[in-house]
């Protein structure tokens, strides 16, 4: 199918939809200037996920982990949402049932005006006491003190999900409750290498219960084989084109 035919088909399906589910990954923030994880210039190219994004790595060297998160917070602070984020926010305004399940911790969906955003890997703008588990918002970038400490004296950690940690129960429930009712009409999977089984799981549940499934990515992934339409292109180009035909 020609690109333009795919755009028109997706716009038609989206226009007919009452309930839309969106899964996003680092690729949707790439055009905002935020590095992805597994691309050619991705974070994991020069850094070890085990060292920088796991409880063991944090226990071994909390200062190194915080230097990485402080670097990312300072970078993200000056980045803006891109057209892909804004189009999703505009689509949400037209619907009563809309959810974004994002793996991103950068907060750009919310800054673009999206409301129903489930941050399945947490937020880089929240820090958590390693003793009391108290979570607080913190947007200081760069941080004055590395690693930051709680008033109780214990270390603070980024409130994100690391390798080897399970996803927050509340967020999981929100997602399953949204998709298992079997009435999702349209699902986007945007900018994720879909490495984690739960990402594939959620897309399959939506698809098996009748959703039209659209993937937008620069590369093929495991999702590509079950998608109705695959755009091998930038989210910041494709989403506005679909939106302009709504
Ligand atoms: C879990 C921290 C169970 C946040 C990250 C012990 C217990 C449980 C599980 C395990 C365990 N030990 C090991 C595991 C398994 C482990 C695992 O899967 N490891 C391997 C196989 C990867 N999994 C876990 O630990 C996970 N926990 O499974 O719990 C569970 C789950 C659910 C329900 C019940 C139980 C937790 C994993 C979280 C790891 N945290 N980071 C942070 O600092 O950001 S990893 C990192 O990967 C980020 O979180 C990121 O969000 C995530 C996914 O990456 P992507 O977003 O997809 O980014 P990537 O670079 O890979 O891809 C970008 C894509 O965009 C590319 O395809 C590219 O082509 C495309 N792209 C680029 N530019 C554009 C574009 N597309 C469109 N437009 C563009 N312009």
């Amino acid at each position: 199918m020609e690109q333009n035919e795919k755009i028109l088909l997706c716009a038609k399906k989206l226009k007919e939809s009452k309930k839309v589910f969106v899964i996003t990954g680092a690729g949707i923030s790439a055009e905002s200037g935020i590095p992805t994880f597994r691309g050619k210039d991705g974070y994991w190219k020069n850094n070890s996920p085990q060292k920088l994004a796991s409880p063991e790595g944090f226990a071994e060297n909390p200062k190194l982990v915080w230097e990485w998160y402080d670097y990312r917070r300072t970078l993200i602070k000056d980045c803006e949402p891109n057209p892909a984020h804004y189009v999703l926010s505009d689509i949400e305004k037209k619907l009563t049932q809309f959810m974004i399940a994002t793996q991103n911790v950068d907060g750009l969906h919310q800054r673009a005006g999206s409301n129903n955003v489930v941050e399945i890997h947490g937020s880089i703008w929240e820090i958590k006491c390693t003793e009391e588990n108290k979570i607080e918002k913190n947007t200081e970038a760069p941080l004055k003190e590395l690693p930051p400490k709680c008033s109780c004296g214990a270390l603070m950690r980024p409130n994100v999900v690391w390798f080897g940690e399970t996803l927050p129960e509340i967020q999981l429930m929100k997602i399953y409750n949204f998709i298992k009712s079997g009435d999702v009409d349209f699902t986007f999977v945007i900018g994720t290498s879909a490495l984690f089984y739960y990402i594939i799981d959620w897309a399959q549940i939506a698809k098996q219960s009748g959703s039209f499934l659209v993937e937008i990515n620069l590369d093929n992934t495991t999702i590509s084989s079950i998608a109705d339409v695959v755009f091998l292109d930038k989210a910041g180009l494709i989403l506005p084109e679909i939106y302009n035909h709504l």
Side-chain angles (χ1 to χ4, degrees):
M1 203 185 317
E2 285 296 306
Q3 181 96 324
N4 196 39
E5 288 172 280
K6 292 197 283 189
I7 294 282
L8 294 175
L9 174 61
C10 290
K12 175 178 176 296
K13 290 285 186 185
L14 199 48
K15 217 165 3 191
E16 294 161 359
S17 296
K18 290 191 177 43
K19 186 167 181 180
V20 175
F21 179 52
V22 186
I23 301 172
T24 64
I28 200 166
S29 294
E31 291 158 85
S32 297
I34 300 174
T36 62
F37 290 87
R38 297 168 184 87
K40 60 184 181 336
D41 53 357
Y43 287 126
W44 297 152
K45 196 98 193 93
N46 310 311
N47 300 293
S48 139
Q50 210 40 38
K51 272 211 169 64
L52 295 178
S54 77
E56 299 75 17
F58 184 72
E60 192 189 312
N61 191 338
K63 192 165 182 305
L64 176 72
V65 172
W66 265 113
E67 281 165 355
W68 185 54
Y69 277 91
D70 196 43
Y71 153 74
R72 289 174 66 197
R73 287 159 52 108
T74 307
L75 174 95
I76 291 167
K77 180 186 74 171
D78 296 330
C79 294
E80 292 297 324
N82 68 63
H85 295 105
Y86 285 114
V87 163
L88 291 181
S89 164
D90 293 339
I91 292 171
E92 181 181 25
K93 293 183 178 65
K94 292 175 176 285
L95 294 160
T96 45
Q97 298 185 89
F98 180 95
M99 175 183 279
I100 297 177
T102 188
Q103 299 167 88
N104 299 341
V105 296
D106 56 34
L108 290 192
H109 283 300
Q110 295 91 325
R111 283 177 52 197
S114 288
N115 292 306
N116 194 5
V117 180
V118 180
E119 294 178 314
I120 61 167
H121 288 168
S123 168
I124 206 163
W125 301 116
E126 290 175 352
I127 59 179
K128 183 168 73 174
C129 175
T130 53
E131 282 297 318
E132 303 161 326
N133 273 327
K134 254 184 348 186
I135 295 170
E136 56 187 65
K137 197 131 179 69
N138 177 300
T139 55
E140 184 187 58
L143 283 160
K144 290 188 192 63
E145 185 197 18
L146 282 183
K149 298 241 182 34
C150 178
S151 49
C152 77
L155 278 177
M156 300 293 274
R157 57 165 280 178
N159 186 35
V160 298
V161 179
W162 280 329
F163 286 101
E165 295 183 322
T166 55
L167 275 55
E169 217 32 63
I170 304 170
Q171 314 299 22
L172 285 173
M173 287 311 292
K174 283 180 190 168
I175 291 165
Y176 279 113
N177 289 340
F178 189 82
I179 59 177
K180 74 173 188 314
S181 43
D183 53 357
V184 174
D185 308 301
F186 192 107
T187 301
F188 271 124
V189 180
I190 305 169
T192 179
S193 52
L195 253 189
F196 302 119
Y197 76 89
Y198 40 86
I199 300 298
I200 304 158
D201 199 21
W202 299 338
Q204 270 172 337
I205 291 171
K207 167 91 183 156
Q208 277 153 12
S209 61
S211 172
F212 189 73
L213 179 61
V214 177
E215 180 182 39
I216 306 175
N217 197 309
L218 300 182
D219 303 319
N220 280 305
T221 71
T222 37
I223 300 288
S224 311
S225 56
I226 61 169
D228 294 290
V229 172
V230 176
F231 291 100
L232 291 177
D233 211 329
K234 291 182 174 183
L237 291 176
I238 296 298
L239 281 171
E241 278 200 47
I242 293 174
Y243 189 74
N244 292 339
H245 287 85
L246 280 188

